[in-house]
Amino acid sequence: MTVAPVKPVALRRTVAGVGTLYAHEDVLLAPKIDGRVLRVLKDAGDTAFPGEVLLELDPTDAKLAIGQAEPALQAELRKLRLDALPASDAAFLSHLPVVDSVAQARANLELAEKDFARIEEEMKRGVGSVQTLDTARTKAKVARVGVDLAETEARVTLAHARRLQSALDDAEDRLRETQLRAPVPDDWPAWSAVLGAAANPVRYSVAARMVSKGATISPMRVTNAYRLVTDHVLKLRVAVPERYSPDVRVGLPVDVRVEAYPGAVFPGTVARVFPTVDPENRTFVTEVEVPNCGRKLKAGGFANAEVLVRTDAAVLTVPPEAVVTFAGVTKVYVVEGDVAKGIEIEVGAREKDWAEVRGPLKADARVITSGQSQLVDGSPVRVR
């Protein structure tokens, strides 16, 4: 008979599952304004950096609106002797005395009030007439009303200037919106600051283009133009049997394999464990983040995953041929002195060259690997 030693090995405990790879982000882009597509700069399969222009709409109408609003705004600002709109009403109130019409009205009021005061003083000395005094009083009242009117007109001009500024801002926004750009993710500046924009792994892949040059974007409905995906990191969603819920947790390492690259292992990490179990198949979803800076993996692809839940340091293993099963009882025979002794065991994980065994088996035991069918407890053995 032949024997082999029981071998303690470090055994990786894994939970296997299959799932689908999803893009880290998947976005549909639509122009915010209507117009005719002037240029298409990106097509399906291209790479687009955040902020890069994807297509351009005809900017003629927006430029015309800017050309009309800007001179009108400048004309109103010149009336108010302003280079730009004041930040608040309080700031404009302090600026009012500088406005030409207000300054002139206040000067007229000052002159009329001085004339009235002079004539009133003369009347007290018995010089002048009542008619002259009444005329001076009326002129002062008219001048005071003139100041109020000038200030009101200045405020009306300011309101008109603000409306023109709003129209100009809208026109400039429309001009900017004639260029449809790839969105800028929140983490783009941080990556660029560390690696530089050219080496930044955060970028988009154009999954689909839905419009062509010359097409008209209608204001009556949303017209999707591009579908973009970020695939520098992919999300693998794996269905895991409910019984493994105590073992699978965020942060565990995962080995990911795909048929397109036989033998290759893509490392991932458990990023999210869904809190509910599907009552139809009694599984819960585990989301694995898989780095994909080389763009070998594709969103939508099928993948196998093994979640490493722990590593047992000293697991006893025997050659598979040492395991004997009869009448529902699984055992191995060990050599004790010059006789055989049967020990009931449970078999755990299996590989081609070994099988994990659980039971009252010593780490230094020798198990019989041939001729076991002829053995019973106490059978004499001779080891070859």
Side-chain angles (χ1 to χ4, degrees):
M1 295 182 178
T2 58
V3 297
V6 175
K7 292 183 179 180
V9 300
L11 187 61
R12 289 160 45 96
R13 300 293 186 185
T14 60
V15 174
V18 296
T20 301
L21 292 162
Y22 294 89
H24 188 262
E25 296 291 343
D26 193 326
V27 295
L28 287 172
L29 295 183
K32 294 181 181 179
I33 62 172
D34 58 294
R36 183 175 58 86
V37 178
L38 194 63
R39 290 199 303 163
V40 174
L41 304 176
K42 295 290 182 179
D43 209 338
D46 291 343
T47 297
F49 286 91
E52 192 172 1
V53 179
L54 305 174
L55 65 77
E56 293 180 354
L57 301 177
D58 189 348
T60 302
D61 291 344
K63 288 181 177 179
L64 180 61
I66 291 174
Q68 291 174 342
E70 195 166 26
L73 172 62
Q74 294 303 320
E76 296 301 296
L77 291 177
R78 282 195 296 272
K79 291 179 183 178
L80 300 173
R81 300 192 67 178
L82 288 170
D83 295 325
L85 289 175
S88 64
D89 289 341
F92 181 68
L93 187 61
S94 64
H95 176 77
L96 262 179
V98 182
V99 178
D100 291 338
S101 59
V102 175
Q104 182 179 4
R106 288 187 176 184
N108 290 337
L109 174 60
E110 184 180 357
L111 181 60
E113 287 179 338
K114 285 181 178 180
D115 285 344
F116 173 67
R118 177 179 54 79
I119 294 172
E120 190 176 35
E121 186 63 27
E122 290 176 350
M123 284 292 294
K124 291 179 181 178
R125 297 198 305 266
V127 180
S129 65
V130 175
Q131 183 179 2
T132 303
L133 180 62
D134 290 341
T135 300
R137 183 185 291 112
T138 302
K139 285 182 178 180
K141 289 182 179 179
V142 171
R144 194 171 294 111
V145 172
V147 171
D148 293 341
L149 181 60
E151 290 180 351
T152 300
E153 288 178 348
R155 289 189 175 91
V156 170
T157 302
L158 176 65
H160 189 209
R162 284 174 171 167
R163 285 195 296 271
L164 289 171
Q165 181 68 65
S166 179
L168 178 60
D169 291 343
D170 288 345
E172 290 175 342
D173 286 343
R174 284 183 63 84
L175 181 60
R176 283 190 292 270
E177 294 299 339
T178 59
Q179 293 184 330
L180 181 63
R181 296 177 180 270
V184 179
D186 293 338
D187 53 354
W188 170 261
W191 279 98
S192 296
V194 175
L195 302 174
N200 194 326
V202 183
R203 64 195 64 181
Y204 293 96
S205 295
V206 180
R209 173 176 63 85
M210 293 88 154
V211 296
S212 301
K213 181 180 178 180
T216 299
I217 305 299
S218 171
M220 302 303 294
R221 60 184 179 87
V222 175
T223 303
N224 291 322
Y226 282 95
R227 178 181 170 224
L228 304 182
V229 297
T230 52
D231 52 3
H232 65 292
V233 175
L234 295 181
K235 299 175 183 178
L236 173 61
R237 290 179 182 162
V238 180
V240 177
E242 180 184 6
R243 66 180 180 275
Y244 294 116
S245 58
D247 301 318
V248 178
R249 60 188 182 276
V250 173
L252 292 177
V254 183
D255 289 341
V256 177
R257 295 174 174 85
V258 295
E259 291 184 356
Y261 297 95
V265 177
F266 299 89
T269 305
V270 175
R272 194 168 286 103
V273 177
F274 284 38
T276 57
V277 173
D278 188 336
E280 294 185 2
N281 54 27
R282 299 301 173 187
T283 62
F284 63 94
V285 175
T286 298
E287 187 173 279
V288 179
E289 285 191 350
V290 186
N292 188 40
C293 292
R295 267 69 179 184
K296 288 185 176 181
L297 302 176
K298 295 186 180 297
F302 175 83
N304 293 278
E306 286 187 354
V307 181
L308 177 60
V309 296
R310 69 180 186 277
T311 299
D312 292 339
V315 175
L316 299 182
T317 64
V318 299
E321 58 269 21
V323 179
V324 178
T325 301
F326 181 75
V329 177
T330 301
K331 63 174 60 179
V332 294
Y333 285 94
V334 299
V335 177
E336 290 191 350
D338 57 358
V339 299
K341 180 182 178 181
I343 298 177
E344 289 190 21
I345 59 165
E346 293 181 1
V347 178
R350 287 178 178 266
E351 290 289 345
K352 179 181 178 182
D353 299 324
W354 55 265
E356 176 193 2
V357 293
R358 307 186 192 100
L361 196 62
K362 297 181 180 179
D364 59 352
R366 293 183 300 163
V367 293
I368 298 173
T369 57
S370 63
Q372 303 97 312
S373 61
Q374 303 171 7
L375 297 177
V376 294
D377 277 350
S379 296
V381 294
R382 187 178 63 184
V383 179
R384 295 198 300 268

